[in-house]
Amino acid sequence: MASTQPPILDGPLVSPDAAIGASAMRKATGHLIPLIALGYGAAYMDRINISFAALQMNRDLHFSATVYGFGAGLFFLSYAACEIPSNLLLYRFGARRWLARIMVTWGILAMAMLFVRTPWQFYTARFFLGVAEAGFFPGVIFYLTQWFPQELRARAISRFYISLPLSSVFMGLLAGALLNLDGRLGLRGWQWLFLVEGIPPILLGIVFLYLLPDGPLQARWLTEDERAWIIHHVHNDPSLSGQRSHNLSAALLDPRVWQLGLFMLLMLASSYAYTFVAPDVIQRATHLSTSKVGYLIAALSLLGAAAMLINGIYSDRVQRRTPHSIYPRYMHIIPWAFLISAGFFACGLSTNPINVVVAIGAIIIAYNAMQGPLWSLPGSFFQGRSAAAGIATLNMIGMIGGFLGPYFVGFAKDLTGDYQRGLLLMSIPMLLGAFIMFYLRAQTRLRSQTLSPENPVPSS
């Protein structure tokens, strides 16, 4: 089957009218972002709802911290292994059908978690949940690069990615109520959690199948002028700093993909190290009830959502002043990497309730704030099939960190008796990540000095 992605337009083009562009972006934002945000919010909720389920499940099933950490992280290994093939299949069959397939299958498997009884059943369920969800996030990032030009991309990504902290808000408010259903209809509270939270992705998968266009060419709600504006501005992006190639090997062999992937590995190791243990750490420090812990995490996640939107908008404003280079994007990522490191350092040194809550809040805010600028970078490297592969490769490398982080803090807890030392050592990864970003920033500056707008990288 032929690709459904829009073609690159060749030849001289007249600059489109600004009003047409504003109308096109307004329609794309209104029709796509809310739907995609709901889909990713459901995905993230099913990915991490075991952090709340563990408050009952680990005790009921006699899971040690190592068993729990290994199972929580195993999702990310299978997810990473299937990233590239899943994104290439999305490119081949179209976003509408492939994203719908992903959501329906992961919703069914998420609900099946209620039947887990042994460690191996837990490992198996988490493994296949990762297989089912693989490709959703990088597929969405690639999909948005087909709709939004570079100078608007951080804001667009932030608007859909805000579903991550908002899903944490929703889960924090809902988890306590579901866990309190303990004993109803013969089910434990953690089983109700998996059952109820597995339903939304199945319903959303059906909605995606009917409402999501594969690309601008298939969007009936765009005029011809609006469609031409999007295709022109996406495929003639002046900040595109790599080969204008659809070649798969161009993405897999580019050192920037592996450098940025290593940063994401360190970032996601840090993120999921605290995500899967935050309810337990906060409850031990504050002695609050499960419901109040959920409310507290919900409040911190709201702050993260605000940081994500504000930093995404600010980064796009700066980017518009330098349309021929992505050089400024890095300074909207680096300070937040240092703040994540500082948050882990503080959390690892203190058990004071206020210090713990503030430290975890700093990590949540910093992680969310960097996402828009960070995920706007890969789309400036490649186009077409190579972009799909490159973005999937980044996420594949990063997702390995999703396994390492939870497994490490779980192992450290069983070894030392608490989470403190494990969290303290987790201050190191994002220090390394910040230095990777400094290096990429310096390399981008060298590229921008050797390539001028009058002498862009030639088409292949």
Side-chain angles (χ1 to χ4, degrees):
M1 181 177 294
S3 168
T4 58
Q5 302 307 322
I8 297 178
L9 300 184
D10 294 319
L13 293 172
V14 178
S15 179
D17 182 74
I20 294 175
S23 176
M25 291 294 93
R26 187 165 54 250
K27 288 182 180 179
T29 300
H31 283 84
L32 303 177
I33 299 298
L35 186 58
I36 291 172
L38 285 172
Y40 186 66
Y44 186 74
M45 191 164 62
D46 284 337
R47 183 185 302 178
I48 67 164
N49 57 10
I50 59 168
S51 64
F52 281 97
L55 296 175
Q56 290 181 354
M57 181 183 71
N58 289 355
R59 181 179 62 251
D60 288 353
L61 303 182
H62 308 291
F63 288 172
S64 68
T66 301
V67 168
Y68 169 69
F70 181 79
L74 192 60
F75 165 95
F76 298 97
L77 290 185
S78 58
Y79 187 106
C82 297
E83 285 284 71
I84 295 177
S86 181
N87 235 29
L88 293 178
L89 287 169
L90 179 143
Y91 182 82
R92 178 176 176 82
F93 294 115
R96 179 177 62 88
R97 282 179 291 177
W98 195 249
L99 292 177
R101 192 284 304 163
I102 289 174
M103 285 193 289
V104 171
T105 52
W106 102 54
I108 293 171
L109 287 168
M111 294 173 68
M113 285 284 294
L114 69 91
F115 297 110
V116 166
R117 293 293 182 274
T118 68
W120 279 105
Q121 290 174 352
F122 180 48
Y123 299 155
T124 302
R126 291 291 293 178
F127 179 88
F128 282 106
L129 188 64
V131 172
E133 194 184 321
F136 186 85
F137 180 76
V140 166
I141 295 293
F142 169 69
Y143 181 70
L144 292 179
T145 66
Q146 309 305 298
W147 289 87
F148 295 92
Q150 176 64 232
E151 69 272 13
L152 299 174
R153 206 164 284 163
R155 188 179 307 188
I157 291 172
S158 294
R159 284 173 174 169
F160 111 77
Y161 210 5
I162 197 175
S163 59
L164 185 150
L166 290 182
S167 66
S168 297
V169 173
F170 182 72
M171 188 171 61
L173 297 175
L174 183 63
L178 291 175
L179 291 174
N180 287 334
L181 292 177
D182 195 36
R184 298 287 180 89
L185 301 180
L187 296 177
R188 298 286 286 151
W190 59 270
Q191 292 175 306
W192 278 109
L193 189 67
F194 291 133
L195 176 63
V196 172
E197 293 185 354
I199 296 173
I202 298 175
L203 300 178
L204 284 168
I206 298 171
V207 174
F208 268 53
L209 193 60
Y210 287 98
L211 296 184
L212 192 73
D214 283 319
L217 290 178
Q218 291 76 34
R220 298 178 180 177
W221 32 265
L222 288 175
T223 67
E224 287 300 323
D225 287 342
E226 291 166 347
R227 189 174 292 113
W229 188 95
I230 291 175
I231 294 172
H232 167 61
H233 278 70
V234 166
H235 292 290
N236 293 274
D237 186 351
S239 71
L240 191 70
S241 57
Q243 296 183 15
R244 294 176 182 255
S245 169
H246 291 249
N247 192 315
L248 180 61
S249 63
L252 299 181
L253 297 178
D254 193 298
R256 292 171 300 176
V257 170
W258 296 92
Q259 290 157 3
L260 199 55
L262 179 58
F263 174 86
M264 291 180 180
L265 184 153
L266 297 170
M267 177 189 73
L268 289 177
S270 301
S271 170
Y272 287 111
Y274 83 82
T275 297
F276 286 112
V277 302
D280 193 11
V281 170
I282 290 176
Q283 190 171 58
R284 289 172 184 270
T286 63
H287 304 291
L288 294 174
S289 67
T290 300
S291 297
K292 290 181 179 179
V293 169
Y295 298 151
L296 184 55
I297 290 178
L300 296 176
S301 298
L302 277 177
L303 295 177
M308 180 180 288
L309 280 182
I310 293 170
N311 197 45
I313 292 171
Y314 174 69
S315 183
D316 273 350
R317 286 181 178 174
V318 174
Q319 178 66 32
R320 282 198 295 271
R321 295 198 290 266
T322 56
H324 297 284
S325 174
I326 58 170
Y327 177 72
R329 292 286 196 200
Y330 295 98
M331 288 312 296
H332 304 142
I333 300 170
I334 293 170
W336 302 109
F338 283 120
L339 183 57
I340 290 175
S341 180
F344 275 110
F345 190 77
C347 198
L349 288 180
S350 176
T351 57
N352 179 275
I354 295 177
N355 293 344
V356 169
V357 171
V358 170
I360 290 180
I363 296 171
I364 292 173
I365 290 170
Y367 173 79
N368 285 287
M370 71 168 64
Q371 297 308 310
L374 175 64
W375 282 105
S376 70
L377 295 177
S380 67
F381 298 166
F382 304 104
Q383 292 186 23
R385 189 166 178 259
S386 64
I391 293 170
T393 302
L394 290 175
N395 213 44
M396 175 192 72
I397 300 168
M399 281 298 166
I400 296 172
F403 168 76
L404 295 175
Y407 180 65
F408 172 74
V409 294
F411 176 78
K413 180 180 184 295
D414 281 342
L415 191 65
T416 65
D418 59 45
Y419 284 116
Q420 299 303 115
R421 293 171 181 82
L423 293 174
L424 182 62
L425 289 175
M426 288 307 300
S427 64
I428 298 174
M430 287 313 291
L431 285 178
L432 300 176
F435 288 115
I436 291 173
M437 280 294 158
F438 274 123
Y439 176 80
L440 283 168
R441 181 172 177 261
Q443 293 299 306
T444 299
R445 188 171 190 175
L446 289 175
R447 285 175 180 268
S448 64
Q449 289 172 349
T450 55
L451 298 172
S452 68
E454 292 76 21
N455 297 287
V457 178
S459 298
S460 59

Short mmCIF file of all heavy atoms in Angstrom, two decimals, residues 121-155:
data_model
loop_
_atom_site.label_atom_id
_atom_site.label_comp_id
_atom_site.label_asym_id
_atom_site.label_seq_id
_atom_site.Cartn_x
_atom_site.Cartn_y
_atom_site.Cartn_z
N GLN A 121 3.25 -13.75 35.90
CA GLN A 121 2.07 -13.20 35.24
C GLN A 121 2.16 -11.68 35.15
O GLN A 121 1.77 -11.08 34.14
CB GLN A 121 0.80 -13.61 36.00
CG GLN A 121 0.47 -15.09 35.89
CD GLN A 121 -0.70 -15.48 36.78
OE1 GLN A 121 -1.19 -14.69 37.58
NE2 GLN A 121 -1.15 -16.73 36.63
N PHE A 122 2.68 -11.06 36.19
CA PHE A 122 2.89 -9.60 36.20
C PHE A 122 3.88 -9.21 35.11
O PHE A 122 3.64 -8.28 34.33
CB PHE A 122 3.40 -9.21 37.58
CG PHE A 122 3.67 -7.74 37.76
CD1 PHE A 122 2.75 -6.78 37.37
CD2 PHE A 122 4.86 -7.31 38.35
CE1 PHE A 122 3.00 -5.42 37.56
CE2 PHE A 122 5.12 -5.96 38.53
CZ PHE A 122 4.19 -5.02 38.14
N TYR A 123 4.99 -9.94 35.02
CA TYR A 123 6.00 -9.64 34.00
C TYR A 123 5.41 -9.80 32.59
O TYR A 123 5.63 -8.97 31.70
CB TYR A 123 7.20 -10.58 34.14
CG TYR A 123 7.95 -10.50 35.45
CD1 TYR A 123 8.69 -11.59 35.91
CD2 TYR A 123 7.91 -9.35 36.24
CE1 TYR A 123 9.39 -11.53 37.10
CE2 TYR A 123 8.60 -9.30 37.45
CZ TYR A 123 9.33 -10.39 37.87
OH TYR A 123 10.01 -10.34 39.06
N THR A 124 4.66 -10.89 32.40
CA THR A 124 4.10 -11.16 31.07
C THR A 124 3.10 -10.08 30.66
O THR A 124 3.12 -9.61 29.52
CB THR A 124 3.40 -12.54 31.06
OG1 THR A 124 4.35 -13.55 31.43
CG2 THR A 124 2.83 -12.85 29.69
N ALA A 125 2.24 -9.70 31.58
CA ALA A 125 1.23 -8.67 31.28
C ALA A 125 1.90 -7.34 30.93
O ALA A 125 1.51 -6.66 29.97
CB ALA A 125 0.28 -8.50 32.47
N ARG A 126 2.91 -6.96 31.70
CA ARG A 126 3.60 -5.69 31.43
C ARG A 126 4.36 -5.75 30.10
O ARG A 126 4.42 -4.77 29.37
CB ARG A 126 4.56 -5.35 32.58
CG ARG A 126 3.89 -4.98 33.87
CD ARG A 126 3.17 -3.66 33.81
NE ARG A 126 4.11 -2.54 33.65
CZ ARG A 126 3.72 -1.28 33.53
NH1 ARG A 126 2.44 -0.96 33.53
NH2 ARG A 126 4.62 -0.30 33.40
N PHE A 127 4.95 -6.90 29.80
CA PHE A 127 5.69 -7.06 28.55
C PHE A 127 4.78 -6.85 27.34
O PHE A 127 5.08 -6.08 26.43
CB PHE A 127 6.33 -8.45 28.51
CG PHE A 127 7.10 -8.72 27.25
CD1 PHE A 127 8.43 -8.37 27.14
CD2 PHE A 127 6.49 -9.33 26.16
CE1 PHE A 127 9.16 -8.62 25.97
CE2 PHE A 127 7.19 -9.59 24.99
CZ PHE A 127 8.52 -9.22 24.90
N PHE A 128 3.63 -7.52 27.35
CA PHE A 128 2.74 -7.42 26.20
C PHE A 128 2.00 -6.09 26.15
O PHE A 128 1.61 -5.63 25.07
CB PHE A 128 1.76 -8.60 26.18
CG PHE A 128 2.39 -9.87 25.68
CD1 PHE A 128 2.70 -10.90 26.56
CD2 PHE A 128 2.71 -10.02 24.34
CE1 PHE A 128 3.31 -12.06 26.11
CE2 PHE A 128 3.32 -11.17 23.88
CZ PHE A 128 3.62 -12.20 24.76
N LEU A 129 1.83 -5.45 27.31
CA LEU A 129 1.29 -4.09 27.28
C LEU A 129 2.24 -3.15 26.55
O LEU A 129 1.82 -2.27 25.79
CB LEU A 129 1.06 -3.60 28.72
CG LEU A 129 0.31 -2.26 28.87
CD1 LEU A 129 -1.11 -2.37 28.32
CD2 LEU A 129 0.28 -1.83 30.33
N GLY A 130 3.56 -3.35 26.76
CA GLY A 130 4.55 -2.55 26.05
C GLY A 130 4.52 -2.80 24.55
O GLY A 130 4.63 -1.87 23.75
N VAL A 131 4.36 -4.07 24.15
CA VAL A 131 4.26 -4.41 22.73
C VAL A 131 3.06 -3.72 22.11
O VAL A 131 3.13 -3.15 21.01
CB VAL A 131 4.16 -5.94 22.54
CG1 VAL A 131 3.86 -6.28 21.07
CG2 VAL A 131 5.44 -6.62 22.98
N ALA A 132 1.92 -3.76 22.82
CA ALA A 132 0.68 -3.19 22.28
C ALA A 132 0.77 -1.67 22.11
O ALA A 132 0.29 -1.11 21.12
CB ALA A 132 -0.49 -3.53 23.21
N GLU A 133 1.40 -0.99 23.08
CA GLU A 133 1.44 0.48 23.04
C GLU A 133 2.58 1.03 22.19
O GLU A 133 2.60 2.22 21.86
CB GLU A 133 1.54 1.03 24.46
CG GLU A 133 1.25 2.52 24.54
CD GLU A 133 1.45 3.10 25.93
OE1 GLU A 133 1.09 2.42 26.91
OE2 GLU A 133 1.96 4.23 26.02
N ALA A 134 3.54 0.18 21.82
CA ALA A 134 4.72 0.64 21.08
C ALA A 134 4.33 1.43 19.84
O ALA A 134 3.46 1.02 19.08
CB ALA A 134 5.58 -0.56 20.68
N GLY A 135 4.97 2.55 19.66
CA GLY A 135 4.76 3.35 18.47
C GLY A 135 3.75 4.47 18.63
O GLY A 135 3.66 5.34 17.76
N PHE A 136 2.98 4.48 19.72
CA PHE A 136 1.96 5.51 19.84
C PHE A 136 2.58 6.90 19.98
O PHE A 136 2.28 7.81 19.19
CB PHE A 136 1.03 5.24 21.02
CG PHE A 136 -0.12 6.21 21.10
CD1 PHE A 136 -1.27 5.99 20.36
CD2 PHE A 136 -0.06 7.35 21.89
CE1 PHE A 136 -2.32 6.88 20.40
CE2 PHE A 136 -1.10 8.25 21.94
CZ PHE A 136 -2.24 8.01 21.20
N PHE A 137 3.47 7.06 20.96
CA PHE A 137 4.04 8.39 21.18
C PHE A 137 4.91 8.86 20.01
O PHE A 137 4.70 9.97 19.49
CB PHE A 137 4.84 8.42 22.48
CG PHE A 137 5.46 9.76 22.76
CD1 PHE A 137 4.70 10.81 23.23
CD2 PHE A 137 6.81 9.99 22.53
CE1 PHE A 137 5.26 12.05 23.46
CE2 PHE A 137 7.38 11.22 22.76
CZ PHE A 137 6.60 12.25 23.23
N PRO A 138 5.90 8.07 19.53
CA PRO A 138 6.67 8.55 18.38
C PRO A 138 5.81 8.71 17.13
O PRO A 138 6.08 9.57 16.29
CB PRO A 138 7.75 7.49 18.19
CG PRO A 138 7.20 6.27 18.83
CD PRO A 138 6.38 6.76 19.99
N GLY A 139 4.76 7.88 17.02
CA GLY A 139 3.85 8.04 15.89
C GLY A 139 3.14 9.37 15.92
O GLY A 139 2.97 10.03 14.89
N VAL A 140 2.72 9.78 17.10
CA VAL A 140 2.04 11.07 17.24
C VAL A 140 3.01 12.22 16.97
O VAL A 140 2.65 13.20 16.30
CB VAL A 140 1.42 11.19 18.65
CG1 VAL A 140 1.02 12.63 18.94
CG2 VAL A 140 0.21 10.28 18.76
N ILE A 141 4.24 12.13 17.49
CA ILE A 141 5.23 13.18 17.23
C ILE A 141 5.49 13.30 15.73
O ILE A 141 5.49 14.41 15.16
CB ILE A 141 6.56 12.88 17.96
CG1 ILE A 141 6.35 12.92 19.48
CG2 ILE A 141 7.64 13.87 17.55
CD1 ILE A 141 6.01 14.27 20.03
N PHE A 142 5.68 12.17 15.04
CA PHE A 142 5.87 12.21 13.59
C PHE A 142 4.64 12.78 12.90
O PHE A 142 4.75 13.59 11.96
CB PHE A 142 6.16 10.80 13.07
CG PHE A 142 6.13 10.69 11.58
CD1 PHE A 142 7.11 11.29 10.81
CD2 PHE A 142 5.10 10.01 10.94
CE1 PHE A 142 7.07 11.21 9.43
CE2 PHE A 142 5.05 9.92 9.57
CZ PHE A 142 6.04 10.52 8.81
N TYR A 143 3.48 12.39 13.34
CA TYR A 143 2.22 12.87 12.75
C TYR A 143 2.13 14.40 12.85
O TYR A 143 1.76 15.07 11.88
CB TYR A 143 1.06 12.20 13.47
CG TYR A 143 -0.31 12.57 12.96
CD1 TYR A 143 -0.75 12.14 11.71
CD2 TYR A 143 -1.18 13.33 13.74
CE1 TYR A 143 -2.03 12.46 11.25
CE2 TYR A 143 -2.44 13.65 13.30
CZ TYR A 143 -2.87 13.22 12.05
OH TYR A 143 -4.13 13.55 11.60
N LEU A 144 2.47 14.94 14.01
CA LEU A 144 2.38 16.39 14.19
C LEU A 144 3.40 17.14 13.34
O LEU A 144 3.17 18.28 12.95
CB LEU A 144 2.56 16.75 15.67
CG LEU A 144 1.43 16.31 16.60
CD1 LEU A 144 1.73 16.70 18.04
CD2 LEU A 144 0.09 16.92 16.17
N THR A 145 4.56 16.51 13.04
CA THR A 145 5.53 17.17 12.17
C THR A 145 5.01 17.31 10.75
O THR A 145 5.55 18.10 9.97
CB THR A 145 6.87 16.40 12.12
OG1 THR A 145 6.69 15.12 11.50
CG2 THR A 145 7.45 16.23 13.52
N GLN A 146 3.96 16.56 10.39
CA GLN A 146 3.35 16.70 9.07
C GLN A 146 2.33 17.82 9.01
O GLN A 146 1.83 18.15 7.93
CB GLN A 146 2.66 15.38 8.67
CG GLN A 146 3.51 14.13 8.79
CD GLN A 146 4.81 14.23 8.02
OE1 GLN A 146 4.80 14.35 6.80
NE2 GLN A 146 5.91 14.18 8.73
N TRP A 147 2.05 18.41 10.16
CA TRP A 147 1.02 19.45 10.23
C TRP A 147 1.53 20.82 10.66
O TRP A 147 0.98 21.84 10.24
CB TRP A 147 -0.07 19.01 11.24
CG TRP A 147 -0.92 17.89 10.77
CD1 TRP A 147 -0.68 16.56 10.90
CD2 TRP A 147 -2.17 17.99 10.08
NE1 TRP A 147 -1.69 15.82 10.34
CE2 TRP A 147 -2.63 16.67 9.83
CE3 TRP A 147 -2.97 19.06 9.66
CZ2 TRP A 147 -3.83 16.39 9.18
CZ3 TRP A 147 -4.17 18.79 9.02
CH2 TRP A 147 -4.58 17.47 8.78
N PHE A 148 2.56 20.85 11.52
CA PHE A 148 2.99 22.11 12.12
C PHE A 148 4.44 22.42 11.75
O PHE A 148 5.32 21.58 11.95
CB PHE A 148 2.86 22.05 13.65
CG PHE A 148 1.44 21.91 14.12
CD1 PHE A 148 0.89 20.65 14.34
CD2 PHE A 148 0.65 23.03 14.31
CE1 PHE A 148 -0.42 20.51 14.75
CE2 PHE A 148 -0.67 22.90 14.74
CZ PHE A 148 -1.21 21.64 14.96
N PRO A 149 4.72 23.63 11.21
CA PRO A 149 6.10 24.02 10.90
C PRO A 149 6.91 24.20 12.18
O PRO A 149 6.36 24.32 13.28
CB PRO A 149 5.94 25.33 10.13
CG PRO A 149 4.61 25.86 10.54
CD PRO A 149 3.75 24.67 10.82
N GLN A 150 8.23 24.24 12.04
CA GLN A 150 9.14 24.25 13.17
C GLN A 150 8.84 25.36 14.17
O GLN A 150 8.86 25.14 15.38
CB GLN A 150 10.59 24.38 12.67
CG GLN A 150 11.64 24.49 13.75
CD GLN A 150 11.73 23.25 14.62
OE1 GLN A 150 11.68 23.33 15.83
NE2 GLN A 150 11.87 22.09 13.99
N GLU A 151 8.52 26.55 13.70
CA GLU A 151 8.34 27.68 14.61
C GLU A 151 7.05 27.58 15.43
O GLU A 151 6.84 28.37 16.35
CB GLU A 151 8.36 29.00 13.85
CG GLU A 151 7.18 29.25 12.93
CD GLU A 151 7.39 28.68 11.54
OE1 GLU A 151 8.34 27.88 11.36
OE2 GLU A 151 6.63 29.06 10.63
N LEU A 152 6.20 26.61 15.13
CA LEU A 152 4.97 26.41 15.90
C LEU A 152 4.94 25.03 16.57
O LEU A 152 3.95 24.69 17.21
CB LEU A 152 3.75 26.54 14.98
CG LEU A 152 3.55 27.89 14.29
CD1 LEU A 152 2.39 27.82 13.30
CD2 LEU A 152 3.32 28.99 15.31
N ARG A 153 6.02 24.29 16.43
CA ARG A 153 5.97 22.88 16.82
C ARG A 153 6.04 22.66 18.33
O ARG A 153 5.36 21.78 18.86
CB ARG A 153 7.11 22.13 16.12
CG ARG A 153 6.84 20.67 15.93
CD ARG A 153 7.80 20.07 14.92
NE ARG A 153 7.45 20.43 13.55
CZ ARG A 153 8.26 20.33 12.52
NH1 ARG A 153 9.50 19.90 12.72
NH2 ARG A 153 7.87 20.64 11.32
N ALA A 154 6.86 23.41 19.05
CA ALA A 154 6.96 23.21 20.50
C ALA A 154 5.62 23.48 21.17
O ALA A 154 5.21 22.77 22.10
CB ALA A 154 8.04 24.12 21.09
N ARG A 155 4.93 24.51 20.68
CA ARG A 155 3.62 24.83 21.25
C ARG A 155 2.62 23.72 20.94
O ARG A 155 1.83 23.32 21.81
CB ARG A 155 3.12 26.16 20.68
CG ARG A 155 1.87 26.69 21.35
CD ARG A 155 1.44 28.01 20.74
NE ARG A 155 2.54 28.98 20.75
CZ ARG A 155 2.39 30.26 20.43
NH1 ARG A 155 1.21 30.72 20.07
NH2 ARG A 155 3.41 31.08 20.46
#
